[in-house]
Amino acid sequence: MTDISLNNRDKKKKKTFVIDTSVFAFDSKCLEKLENCDIIIPIEVLEELDKLKSYQAEIGKNARTAIRKLDEISNLGEIHKGIKLKNKTIKILSDYEKSGSDDSYNDNKILGCALSIKKKDVCLLSRDINLRVRAKSLGLQAEDYSSKIANYDEFYSGFKEIADESIIQEIMESKSN
């Protein structure tokens, strides 16, 4: 498995990431976590985020947050040409050929976007397993975004163990009053 670091430490060789919708739906702050790289967002990702923004769950919230962040960034310059930020460049692409036989399938267009970038170090970041497999079958690098940022052992479990007996006794007595 290729090791893609969110903090691309090799400053001479900037990584180019093509980001799939599933990354934004999972982590609306993904753009902040990717450093020292070029970030390409296919226009279809914005279309898919627009559909997801009305969802009530976390996915809808993340889509709305990501859209607002992209709006803020787009106000800094011409996002279709690329906007340079402190340690990255963000660009939305819309002119590329699709890959695959189904013109209506956005994943084919996202793959086409990644294939259109003529750099050796382009990597598709996605949580979609099938999209990653399809990208690899076309000779592209592809990585699961969540495996690079999520440490499930650090998530709050919903409870905390208290070892101080005096606190436990105090809580028990206050409940009985």
Side-chain angles (χ1 to χ4, degrees), residues 112-150:
C113 177
L115 286 169
S116 74
I117 301 166
K118 304 294 185 218
K119 291 183 179 179
K120 185 177 182 178
D121 279 337
V122 66
C123 178
L124 177 70
L125 283 184
S126 179
R127 296 202 65 233
D128 182 333
I129 296 169
N130 193 50
L131 182 58
R132 291 193 312 265
V133 172
R134 290 181 64 213
K136 290 173 187 176
S137 75
L138 295 169
L140 293 167
Q141 292 181 44
E143 279 292 324
D144 181 0
Y145 174 78
S146 62
S147 71
K148 301 301 175 195
I149 59 118

Side-chain angles (χ1 to χ4, degrees), residues 53-85:
K53 72 182 182 188
S54 61
Y55 284 36
Q56 296 300 314
E58 189 77 12
I59 289 175
K61 180 184 133 254
N62 286 345
R64 291 185 298 274
T65 302
I67 291 167
R68 280 193 294 276
K69 184 63 177 176
L70 288 169
D71 181 47
E72 286 175 26
I73 293 169
S74 72
N75 289 327
L76 300 174
E78 297 177 281
I79 199 160
H80 66 285
K81 291 182 179 178
I83 295 177
K84 292 183 191 267
L85 301 176

Side-chain angles (χ1 to χ4, degrees), residues 4 8 33 42 68 70 74-75 100 106 120 140 146 149 152 165 167 171 175:
I4 305 292
N8 188 19
K33 294 176 183 172
R68 280 193 294 276
L70 288 169
S74 72
N75 289 327
N106 278 343
K120 185 177 182 178
L140 293 167
S146 62
I149 59 118
Y152 297 104
E165 295 294 326
I167 292 175
I171 290 171
K175 284 189 174 188

Side-chain angles (χ1 to χ4, degrees), residues 83-94:
I83 295 177
K84 292 183 191 267
L85 301 176
K86 181 172 62 173
N87 57 8
K88 66 191 91 185
T89 300
I90 298 175
K91 183 177 186 176
I92 296 176
L93 284 184
S94 61

